[in-house]
Amino acid sequence: MNLKSLWILVLACVATTLSAQKKPLDQSAYDGWKSIVSPKVSENGDWICYAITPQRGDALLEFYNAGTKQTTRIERGGSPAWFNNDTWATFKIAVPFAKVRQAKIDKVKADKMPKDTFAVMNLAEMKVVKLPGAKELKTSAKGALYAYTYEVTPVKDTTVKDSAAKGNKTPGKYDRLVVVDVRTGDSTVVDSVKNFTVAENGRSVLYTREADSLKAVYVYTVDPKRGVLQRELWSSKLGAVSPSLVLDRSGEQGAFLVTADTVKHALYDLYYFSTTDLKPRQVADAQIIGLPGGYAVSRFGNLSFNHEGNRLQFGIAPKPKEVPKDTLPADEKFSLDVWSYRDTMLMPTQLVNKKKIEEASYPAVYFPKENRAVALGDKDLPSVSFAENGDAPYAIGTTRLPYSLYTEPEIQMFDPSDSYLIELKTGKRTLLRKKGYGGMYLSPSAKYAAYYNLPDSSWYSIDTKTLKHTRLTADIPYPLYNVDDDHPGTPPLYGMYGWTKGDEMMLIPDQFDLWLVDPSGKKASRNLTKIGRETNTQFKFVNQSRTEGKSAVDMTRPMMFLSFNRGNKENGYYTLRPGQAIQKLVEGPYIYAIAGFARKGDRLIYTRENFNEFRDLWTSNERFGDSLKLTNANPQQADYKWGSVELFKWTDFNGNECEGLLHFPEDYDPSKPYPTIVYFYEVQTFLKYRYNTPSPSRSIINPVYCTSNDYIVFIPDIKYRDGFPAKSCYDVVVSGTMALIDRGIADKNRIGLQGQSWGGYQTAHLVTQTDLYACSAPGAAVTNMISAYGGIRYESGFSRASQYETGQSRIGATPWQRRDLYIENSPVFFADRVKTPQLLRHDDNDGAVPWTQSIEYYIALRRLGKPVWLLNYNGEPHNLASRAASMDWDKRMYQFFDHYLKGAPMPRWMKEGISVTEKGIDQKYELVTE
């Protein structure tokens, strides 16, 4: 043996020894595994903050000074934000986790539970000021004010004798508002405050008060000449004040909604004021141009100023109808829903959205200088979208109502609609497009509207002055729709990334590259990135607008692009400087993600991750130079066996080249086959470099938990054929599994299946077509496409029909058009063929897939005497929401796989079941040894 061979042998032995010293992941590891939460960088790049948060336990908030490279740590800190031009910060200090948990055990009432503490900090001095008892804290991003409220409980006057105190009630609890100016340290206190808001520049605070039955609106403003002023703007002993309060960015204008009515459906009045004269004026209905008959100001509408502050947007709605007085006893009432074929919205959708429907409003705009308001939308034109920040002279109005009576809008991937150009100053509507499919996009200055035309697969522009339609992208030789989409019907677009300054150009992507398109149609389209197709790299534009409130792209500055290589799945960032070719900044076997950049400085914060590297936070300049790792959130990972991931390629039964992800244990021995779990959900190879955080499962297996426990995990990509989703899955998954067996990777007798939702359906169906798998665990699966087609998505109220006609289930027809396909693709009709033990999971509050789908399958399998278990977590949704339920499912799912794939003893819950009298008392996790 030569020296080189000896060293290789020694290194191999050392690696094996180190691996043997590591422990496999188990549930005890989950609680302490941390995440990076709320990363932020200040405008000038001097400060970076972030919270390091465990799954259960106390967080750590850190402030990093990029100049001094010093870090300040706040125990249990979180929810950070900057204010006063990023020279101060706010955050919360949480109650210790153990204290909160004990209070829950002690069944402390919600209003008595220990509360988090707000705090502010001067970044120059790193001095923390805690605000004990603060209920709400608001700051001014550009100004020096912060304001907060806390509850005050009046103390009874014990010096007054009881006889004298009769009739003098002790005042109830109220909220006190404190406004603080950090420049001077001065504070102003106001009692009995209900709601408040702070202007972005810190000049003004608008607030409402309720005391002694008096409702009032006040403004606190700092005037450069007059100093601090406080003025009452409105008051009444009757009625109410809406919580909708708004100030413009400068703090020089504001608006509020009030009513003096006491009826349930009171009409509200809109008031506008300026801090110049502090004299509010009412925006009366008579002043609103184009206000439809029977409409009034809505208290539910969006109340906001545009970026320039010369317009105030508010809402209008039909005046509410008074409900007749209830004069019937309970036993003479009934409740009825009428489902009509003439409904433009399904009754279940109406029921889910009842509050939204009742509070629906339509945009109107008020011009303070002219003291004039204009109605823009109404029930016939319900959707109105503004150009960026509402500063442009036009808006786009859209309606689908003419086409929604006899159709299910959600069945269409592109809904037909009529689009109108709305002139904001007059409310004039001009039809732009009749029965168009897809959206209409207004340029930032509203010189153009743009849309995609399905018949010729091209983008068009509309000149808003001449109304001329111009075809723009006929000279782009590649499709602008998603060529990889395999759903029936029209594929979705790659989209539009926006506009350049002055509305000069549009940014439109194809599959790989980004094109600069002239909306006037005079200049030829130009490929900006150029190298995407030849390098098999997809580029996505990253907007780094430097102008506050403006997203238009400045072509005189470097542009940034996120890259993804479709071949090796590597990820990175590129830059394109004016007059130069695109250049790589960083790229490699990671997933990179920018978490923020300094708008007025040369600094980025970003994360990078791969299967073995946690997504810690890094900082660098905008060229990814001088990169510095800021966090090391999970050093304990070194104590655990982990694994690796590779691309796996094979040929399916139809001769097609396929690929998937193959995850190996850390100490993988290629000389022996391993127990294997196959998981799938459409296409997953783009996630090759994703870090899988050890955590309880909400629905699916965790690849790293499996590799740490000596499983192989196989995740194949599936391409579908219309009408044959089950066969498409079979051809890819089974051929891939057999390739693993043929190459000695998977043990042919110890292979399991697992999937959730769409993957759960295919998992349930596969075992009706093959006996290749030793066990299967489908979650939230559709098992009968005929009954599911006529079902409802209870979370949204939508019909499930679109799922099959044009959506994920990919049948491409109705049951009466292709009854055969609905049967062929439904597992329940082939339950008699199943020989594979199955663990079903479907929760009774599933809003996406009715849990009766798994009941149908369970009943059929049980009737046939097949080994099957069904887990129903009461009250849980499509994917488990509560950590307790996730921990339980995580444990039972892996016990199920360990039994059938590793020969571990069966747990008692599988052997004995859990009866209704044992529910919640005996979980029966113990393994049965015979």
Side-chain angles (χ1 to χ4, degrees):
M1 180 181 291
N2 60 36
L3 185 60
K4 181 178 180 181
S5 298
L6 180 61
W7 270 111
I8 291 173
L9 180 61
V10 170
L11 290 173
C13 292
V14 170
T16 302
T17 302
L18 290 174
S19 180
Q21 293 173 348
K22 295 181 179 181
K23 54 189 176 183
L25 285 166
D26 59 21
Q27 289 193 331
S28 67
Y30 295 163
D31 287 357
W33 225 273
K34 301 175 184 69
S35 299
I36 307 299
V37 179
S38 304
K40 290 179 171 60
V41 60
S42 62
E43 278 197 345
N44 57 16
D46 289 346
W47 287 96
I48 298 167
C49 65
Y50 47 87
I52 303 175
T53 307
Q55 294 176 36
R56 275 165 58 93
D58 295 322
L60 179 67
L61 178 62
E62 297 190 345
F63 288 87
Y64 174 77
N65 187 316
T68 65
K69 297 185 172 16
Q70 298 297 309
T71 300
T72 299
R73 295 176 174 84
I74 309 293
E75 295 291 338
R76 305 191 311 281
S79 304
W82 315 113
F83 77 101
N84 195 26
N85 292 310
D86 298 1
T87 60
W88 284 65
T90 70
F91 49 90
K92 282 184 178 181
I93 300 175
V95 178
F97 175 83
K99 185 175 181 180
V100 174
R101 184 173 183 273
Q102 187 59 52
K104 292 177 180 177
I105 293 172
D106 295 339
K107 296 181 172 53
V108 174
K109 292 182 179 179
D111 62 336
K112 300 295 184 183
M113 287 288 288
K115 304 293 192 298
D116 296 345
T117 300
F118 283 101
V120 298
M121 181 169 68
N122 183 338
L123 295 173
E125 302 172 0
M126 302 309 291
K127 182 180 178 181
V128 176
V129 178
K130 296 180 181 179
L131 309 174
K135 297 171 62 176
E136 190 174 12
L137 170 67
K138 295 181 180 180
T139 62
S140 49
K142 306 297 180 186
L145 295 186
Y146 70 87
Y148 65 96
T149 55
Y150 65 93
E151 189 174 77
V152 176
T153 302
V155 179
K156 185 177 180 180
D157 188 351
T158 57
T159 63
V160 180
K161 294 182 179 181
D162 291 344
S163 58
K166 286 184 178 179
N168 297 324
K169 294 182 179 178
T170 301
K173 296 178 181 179
Y174 59 84
D175 285 351
R176 174 172 291 163
L177 173 69
V178 182
V179 181
V180 182
D181 188 328
V182 300
R183 294 167 299 189
T184 63
D186 294 340
S187 61
T188 300
V189 176
V190 183
D191 285 347
S192 304
V193 170
K194 292 290 290 184
N195 297 286
F196 69 101
T197 189
V198 181
E200 182 180 322
N201 77 339
R203 176 171 175 174
S204 302
V205 178
L206 185 62
Y207 60 93
T208 67
R209 296 186 66 206
E210 288 190 17
D212 298 325
S213 75
L214 185 70
K215 290 86 175 174
V217 181
Y218 286 79
V219 64
Y220 165 106
T221 187
V222 181
D223 187 276
K225 295 181 179 179
R226 296 176 289 174
V228 175
L229 302 174
Q230 282 183 273
R231 290 288 188 275
E232 180 186 284
L233 301 174
W234 179 92
S235 66
S236 173
K237 287 194 173 184
L238 302 175
V241 180
S242 168
S244 296
L245 303 170
V246 65
L247 292 163
D248 73 346
R249 293 189 311 123
S250 70
E252 296 176 358
Q253 306 173 93
F256 55 91
L257 295 162
V258 294
T259 181
D261 291 343
T262 57
V263 296
K264 181 178 180 180
H265 299 291
L267 295 178
Y268 277 69
D269 297 318
L270 171 64
Y271 280 83
Y272 162 87
F273 70 93
S274 166
T275 57
T276 303
D277 58 19
L278 295 173
K279 295 178 181 179
R281 59 178 181 249
Q282 182 182 349
V283 180
D285 293 352
Q287 295 176 287
I288 304 176
I289 298 171
L291 183 72
Y295 277 62
V297 173
S298 170
R299 68 186 176 102
F300 301 112
N302 172 44
L303 192 62
S304 62
F305 284 94
N306 66 327
H307 189 264
E308 293 179 358
N310 57 4
R311 298 172 196 151
L312 171 65
Q313 183 185 328
F314 63 99
I316 58 173
K319 294 179 180 178
K321 297 177 182 178
E322 281 300 319
V323 179
K325 185 178 180 181
D326 186 357
T327 59
L328 295 176
D331 62 349
E332 294 182 16
K333 299 176 187 178
F334 60 90
S335 181
L336 170 69
D337 297 325
V338 177
W339 298 39
S340 170
Y341 76 103
R342 291 186 177 274
D343 288 342
T344 57
M345 183 186 291
L346 277 177
M347 180 54 65
T349 312
Q350 294 182 52
L351 294 171
V352 169
N353 293 282
K354 184 175 183 289
K355 187 173 187 288
K356 184 177 179 181
I357 294 169
E358 290 174 339
E359 297 178 358
S361 66
Y362 312 100
V365 65
Y366 174 68
F367 297 87
K369 287 186 178 180
E370 295 101 351
N371 190 25
R372 187 169 55 87
V374 180
L376 304 178
D378 54 40
K379 63 181 180 61
D380 296 321
L381 194 66
S383 176
V384 177
S385 59
F386 295 85
E388 185 176 73
N389 295 309
D391 291 341
Y394 297 106
I396 296 291
T398 307
T399 178
R400 300 187 311 185
L401 294 176
Y403 315 105
S404 60
L405 185 56
Y406 298 108
T407 62
E408 294 284 356
E410 62 268 21
I411 288 179
Q412 302 287 344
M413 293 190 72
F414 290 85
D415 302 329
S417 61
D418 296 340
S419 298
Y420 294 82
L421 185 70
I422 305 173
E423 186 176 5
L424 267 57
K425 284 203 169 185
T426 64
K428 179 184 175 183
R429 300 173 181 179
T430 303
L431 181 66
L432 291 179
R433 194 179 185 213
K434 185 77 173 174
K435 201 176 183 180
Y437 290 83
M440 186 75 67
Y441 306 91
L442 200 57
S443 63
S445 301
K447 292 180 182 178
Y448 301 97
Y451 65 90
Y452 182 80
N453 188 49
L454 285 179
D456 60 11
S457 301
S458 294
W459 280 90
Y460 281 71
S461 69
I462 305 173
D463 187 305
T464 56
K465 291 194 179 299
T466 66
L467 302 182
K468 178 184 176 182
H469 293 236
T470 302
R471 188 180 181 188
L472 304 176
T473 55
D475 59 346
I476 297 178
Y478 307 108
L480 302 177
Y481 55 82
N482 190 337
V483 298
D484 294 316
D485 184 78
D486 57 9
H487 296 85
T490 306
L493 306 180
Y494 289 114
M496 184 176 76
Y497 285 135
W499 304 77
T500 64
K501 281 189 172 182
D503 299 357
E504 290 184 358
M505 293 287 174
M506 300 163 59
L507 299 171
I508 296 177
D510 69 14
Q511 184 183 16
F512 292 97
D513 291 301
L514 185 69
W515 294 77
L516 204 59
V517 176
D518 179 9
S520 73
K522 296 176 182 178
K523 297 179 182 178
S525 301
R526 179 161 64 93
N527 189 334
L528 281 176
T529 49
K530 294 183 180 179
I531 65 171
R533 191 163 268 99
E534 66 185 61
T535 60
N536 202 22
T537 301
Q538 294 177 315
F539 290 107
K540 292 185 177 181
F541 175 62
V542 179
N543 196 337
Q544 291 180 287
S545 173
R546 298 281 171 171
T547 306
E548 184 180 1
K550 303 287 184 180
S551 64
V553 180
D554 184 352
M555 295 297 292
T556 66
R557 291 188 52 81
M559 301 175 71
M560 184 173 283
F561 298 87
L562 175 67
S563 70
F564 173 72
N565 188 288
R566 289 168 59 93
N568 60 25
K569 317 303 179 186
E570 291 186 357
N571 175 278
Y573 283 96
Y574 283 65
T575 187
L576 180 63
R577 297 178 177 275
Q580 299 182 18
I582 193 168
Q583 297 176 349
K584 178 170 61 178
L585 295 174
V586 63
E587 192 173 44
Y590 301 97
I591 293 177
Y592 289 91
I594 292 176
F597 67 94
R599 203 148 43 87
K600 297 179 181 178
D602 183 17
R603 182 162 300 281
L604 289 174
I605 53 174
Y606 67 94
T607 61
R608 79 174 198 191
E609 64 182 287
N610 62 23
F611 185 77
N612 293 91
E613 182 178 314
F614 173 72
R615 57 187 77 86
D616 275 303
L617 190 66
W618 295 68
T619 185
S620 71
N621 60 34
E622 290 191 4
R623 297 165 300 285
F624 285 85
D626 302 322
S627 285
L628 175 68
K629 186 178 177 182
L630 296 174
T631 63
N632 182 24
N634 292 296
Q636 76 279 13
Q637 180 177 320
D639 299 331
Y640 292 94
K641 295 170 63 177
W642 212 252
S644 60
V645 61
E646 295 179 5
L647 277 178
F648 181 74
K649 299 190 177 185
W650 74 99
T651 303
D652 73 8
F653 296 137
N654 300 309
N656 300 312
E657 292 297 317
C658 300
E659 64 180 10
L661 298 178
L662 197 57
H663 298 80
F664 294 94
E666 183 171 305
D667 50 2
Y668 172 68
D669 180 356
S671 68
K672 65 178 184 180
Y674 278 73
T676 300
I677 301 177
V678 183
Y679 165 79
F680 43 85
Y681 192 99
E682 300 199 345
V683 174
Q684 297 283 302
T685 52
F686 69 98
L687 295 174
K688 177 185 178 184
Y689 295 109
R690 180 176 64 179
Y691 181 87
N692 297 278
T693 300
S695 60
S697 170
R698 296 182 60 212
S699 55
I700 65 174
I701 61 166
N702 186 329
V704 75
Y705 181 96
C706 296
T707 58
S708 183
N709 285 273
D710 294 325
Y711 282 105
I712 294 281
V713 175
F714 177 43
I715 307 178
D717 282 354
I718 304 172
K719 292 292 288 182
Y720 296 93
R721 303 187 302 278
D722 288 359
F724 302 95
K727 186 65 167 62
S728 302
C729 175
Y730 177 93
D731 289 342
V732 171
V733 176
V734 175
S735 65
T737 305
M738 293 180 71
L740 293 179
I741 296 171
D742 292 343
R743 299 180 200 183
I745 298 171
D747 185 330
K748 66 178 181 179
N749 297 315
R750 298 190 293 164
I751 305 175
L753 288 172
Q754 203 273 322
Q756 164 75 6
S757 192
W758 176 240
Y761 150 68
Q762 292 171 96
T763 300
H765 198 285
L766 268 179
V767 296
T768 70
Q769 307 299 307
T770 178
D771 301 334
L772 182 61
Y773 301 98
C775 63
S776 168
V782 165
T783 64
N784 182 346
M785 285 197 175
I786 293 177
S787 61
Y789 175 92
I792 296 293
R793 287 181 172 268
Y794 290 109
E795 196 170 54
S796 64
F798 287 168
S799 159
R800 289 186 51 82
S802 60
Q803 174 88 11
Y804 305 91
E805 294 186 36
T806 61
Q808 190 177 48
S809 293
R810 297 174 170 87
I811 299 299
T814 65
W816 45 94
Q817 291 170 325
R818 292 301 305 269
R819 184 182 300 109
D820 58 321
L821 293 180
Y822 279 80
I823 293 173
E824 177 184 328
N825 287 283
S826 297
V828 74
F829 294 112
F830 307 98
D832 58 317
R833 301 179 183 178
V834 174
K835 295 181 181 178
T836 305
Q838 296 196 72
L839 174 64
L840 316 181
R841 202 210 91 239
H842 212 145
D843 310 316
D844 54 22
N845 195 33
D846 191 324
V849 179
W851 85 293
T852 51
Q853 285 291 307
S854 286
I855 293 176
E856 288 188 43
Y857 197 37
Y858 168 81
I859 293 296
L861 293 170
R862 183 176 182 275
R863 171 69 177 81
L864 291 162
K866 311 291 185 179
V868 60
W869 295 262
L870 170 59
L871 303 186
N872 163 32
Y873 290 92
N874 305 156
E876 291 288 328
H878 190 60
N879 292 291
L880 296 172
S882 79
R883 186 176 181 84
S886 296
M887 289 288 282
D888 184 84
W889 163 243
D890 187 87
K891 190 175 193 70
R892 296 186 198 276
M893 176 175 62
Y894 290 125
Q895 283 186 331
F896 174 78
F897 282 125
D898 286 348
H899 173 67
Y900 282 108
L901 304 183
K902 288 185 174 182
M906 183 178 280
R908 286 179 57 222
W909 64 268
M910 288 177 63
K911 184 79 171 178
E912 305 169 7
I914 298 178
S915 70
V916 68
T917 57
E918 296 171 315
K919 177 180 176 179
I921 299 171
D922 186 358
Q923 300 298 350
K924 299 189 177 181
Y925 296 135
E926 303 85 8
L927 303 182
V928 178
T929 54
E930 296 177 347

